[in-house]
Amino acid sequence: MKILVTGATGYIGKRLIPLLLNDGHVVVCAVRDKTRAQNYFKDRKNIILVEADFLNSQSLENIPKDIDIAYYLIHSMSNSVKEFHILEEKCAFNFKRFAEQSQLKQAIYLSGITNDTKLSKHLLSRKNVEKTLASKKYALTTFKAGIIVGSGSSSFEIIRDIVEKLPFMIAPKWFFFFQAEDGIRDILSFLHRAIGRKELYNNSYDVFGPEIMTYKEMLLQFAEVRKLKRRIVTVPVMTPKLSSYWLYFVTSTSYKLATTLVNSMGVEVIGNKSNINAILDVQPMSYKQAVEYAFIRIKQNSIISSWKDSYISSGKLKNYVHEFINVPKHGCFKDFKQRKVKNKKEALDKIWAIGGETGWYYGTFLWKIRGIVDQFYGGAGLRRGRRHPTELNSGDALDFWRVIYADKEKGKLLLYAEMILPGEAWLEFKIEDGTIYQTATFRPHGLAGRLYWYSVMPFHWFVFNGMINNINK
């Protein structure tokens, strides 16, 4: 079949596409920014990569009309736009209008469980999107999931941060709210096995694991898997804003995502039982099994996708990396270093392993201080790390940087700073003609930007010299 996957570079999309390819399907990947996706999909057969923004109906003309199945995986957890629900409805409407003019037989939509009478804005939006997608021209199959537990998921990484960092926790009252949970492997099974199943046409199913747990129980069971002793005391006085700050400072999430999550956590998410497990022959794993499986993937360095690579973890970038690929030349300060490369392969391997647990090769304590300062002012700090210890793709998060361009064969890596700055900054590594070039570029905003650059110049001299020397050892 020819299958359209929207949100192809997202957490679910990246994991679903290999399953479809293994079945021999042709997969049409709809992405907003080809630059971000080309590197990831370049070596895969039966992939059609199209640039389409579902907020722009004209761009959907790039999508082939002869599609059989479509996955609707478009979803924004960001609350940076107050009218986000209007944008989500517009995306759904544009998808529906395109789909009704195509040969589409079935659309498969991944939503959230929406049974509570009191829903958060995001869950209300999810419910409204389902209504918008419904059509008489094609069949709609909706799966409504709870908290997704898997390596790289926002829920998993946040719980991991809390459990592994805090032996004793004073937690808000929503820690006692009941939540349905799903292992990522089970979610993928439901989505994958639903293709062409006519008994699922125009039906909606809550999908969830065998346990309904409170957040407190989730944290304590997570601690048991990690063989850690943890104690949690809940207090009723934490306001949503205070809870958001608590989540932001303790975990690697951004403040805007923390706010969104806290608003959603104030709702009990309990699924309605159905026969969907029997229909698709899925036996959902327990919460502990899902956690254990996630750590197997982590130990194997096989995390396919991470929420941190989504732009909702960004303080600056919104949709497109290509807008920042041309580093400005005028009105900028630069720190430029070059060395005759001693061993090209070793130098490239070091460059591609930079950041995360490897660090930045010189002045580690200075990088940590800069990360703490950034986090204090609402930035990402160094908490995001990196998805994989040696792989980099355009769009990946890398500590408080974002990968704009990464081509190891051409010997070039370009990073854009997502730290809080009075200006914009790029860091470029390039190896050509036997020479390694390292360039830090800063475009200041006003007087504050210029004062910032001159104040950090002494540190830059030591840090950037030490960095290129250690990369080129």
Side-chain angles (χ1 to χ4, degrees), residues 113-177:
I113 294 174
T114 55
N115 299 324
D116 202 307
T117 54
K118 179 188 175 185
L119 295 174
S120 67
K121 289 189 296 183
H122 282 82
L123 285 176
L124 276 173
S125 180
R126 298 283 79 205
K127 193 172 185 178
N128 187 48
V129 165
E130 182 183 2
K131 292 178 182 177
T132 305
L133 291 176
S135 171
K136 295 180 180 178
K137 298 282 184 71
Y138 60 84
L140 177 65
T141 302
T142 302
F143 293 112
K144 298 181 177 182
I147 292 174
I148 296 179
V149 182
S151 57
S153 77
S154 58
S155 305
F156 175 85
E157 296 297 340
I158 287 170
I159 291 173
R160 182 184 180 185
D161 280 342
I162 293 172
V163 171
E164 295 188 353
K165 290 178 181 177
L166 301 177
F168 176 80
M169 293 167 243
I170 299 176
K173 62 182 179 180
W174 44 259
F175 261 47
F176 280 115
F177 288 5

Side-chain angles (χ1 to χ4, degrees), residues 312-328:
I312 60 173
S313 74
S314 167
K316 294 185 177 182
L317 292 180
K318 301 303 177 188
N319 297 320
Y320 304 101
V321 297
H322 69 255
E323 294 176 358
F324 298 88
I325 203 166
N326 295 315
V327 181

Side-chain angles (χ1 to χ4, degrees), residues 74-327:
I74 299 170
H75 179 34
S76 173
M77 279 294 289
S78 171
N79 69 340
S80 58
V81 180
K82 290 183 179 179
E83 296 81 18
F84 75 92
H85 58 286
I86 297 174
L87 301 182
E88 289 204 329
E89 184 178 5
K90 184 177 181 181
C91 284
F93 176 79
N94 286 337
F95 170 88
K96 177 180 178 178
R97 187 163 62 176
F98 157 79
E100 289 181 338
Q101 297 170 356
S102 73
Q103 299 175 21
L104 182 67
K105 300 177 183 68
Q106 179 192 22
I108 301 171
Y109 168 47
L110 181 62
S111 182
I113 294 174
T114 55
N115 299 324
D116 202 307
T117 54
K118 179 188 175 185
L119 295 174
S120 67
K121 289 189 296 183
H122 282 82
L123 285 176
L124 276 173
S125 180
R126 298 283 79 205
K127 193 172 185 178
N128 187 48
V129 165
E130 182 183 2
K131 292 178 182 177
T132 305
L133 291 176
S135 171
K136 295 180 180 178
K137 298 282 184 71
Y138 60 84
L140 177 65
T141 302
T142 302
F143 293 112
K144 298 181 177 182
I147 292 174
I148 296 179
V149 182
S151 57
S153 77
S154 58
S155 305
F156 175 85
E157 296 297 340
I158 287 170
I159 291 173
R160 182 184 180 185
D161 280 342
I162 293 172
V163 171
E164 295 188 353
K165 290 178 181 177
L166 301 177
F168 176 80
M169 293 167 243
I170 299 176
K173 62 182 179 180
W174 44 259
F175 261 47
F176 280 115
F177 288 5
F178 285 97
Q179 303 291 318
E181 53 81 22
D182 297 91
I184 180 60
R185 181 186 284 186
D186 296 330
I187 291 295
L188 294 173
S189 294
F190 285 118
L191 294 172
H192 183 211
R193 298 179 187 183
I195 293 174
R197 299 293 293 264
K198 292 185 179 180
E199 64 267 46
L200 306 185
Y201 284 9
N202 300 313
N203 280 312
S204 176
Y205 302 92
D206 291 350
V207 290
F208 49 93
E211 304 151 299
I212 302 296
M213 311 165 67
T214 64
Y215 287 108
K216 183 176 180 179
E217 288 170 335
M218 286 184 186
L219 265 67
L220 292 176
Q221 287 198 23
F222 194 103
E224 285 180 28
V225 172
R226 300 298 287 157
K227 296 180 172 54
L228 298 169
K229 290 185 178 181
R230 295 295 181 258
R231 188 180 177 192
I232 302 172
V233 175
T234 54
V235 293
V237 293
M238 273 197 179
T239 64
K241 190 168 186 178
L242 193 59
S243 295
S244 300
Y245 279 119
W246 178 79
L247 208 59
Y248 167 67
F249 281 109
V250 171
T251 72
S252 56
T253 186
S254 63
Y255 177 71
K256 62 183 179 181
L257 182 56
T259 302
T260 300
L261 289 170
V262 166
N263 289 336
S264 297
M265 286 168 174
V267 177
E268 290 201 315
V269 177
I270 301 175
N272 292 327
K273 291 183 179 180
S274 69
N275 62 345
I276 189 61
N277 294 352
I279 293 174
L280 296 182
D281 191 24
V282 178
Q283 299 300 321
M285 63 180 70
S286 69
Y287 175 75
K288 278 189 175 181
Q289 287 174 320
V291 172
E292 288 167 352
Y293 178 71
F295 275 102
I296 290 172
R297 306 291 286 182
I298 291 169
K299 287 175 183 177
Q300 293 173 342
N301 290 324
S302 55
I303 301 177
I304 298 172
S305 58
S306 171
W307 76 271
K308 296 172 186 176
D309 295 333
S310 167
Y311 290 126
I312 60 173
S313 74
S314 167
K316 294 185 177 182
L317 292 180
K318 301 303 177 188
N319 297 320
Y320 304 101
V321 297
H322 69 255
E323 294 176 358
F324 298 88
I325 203 166
N326 295 315
V327 181

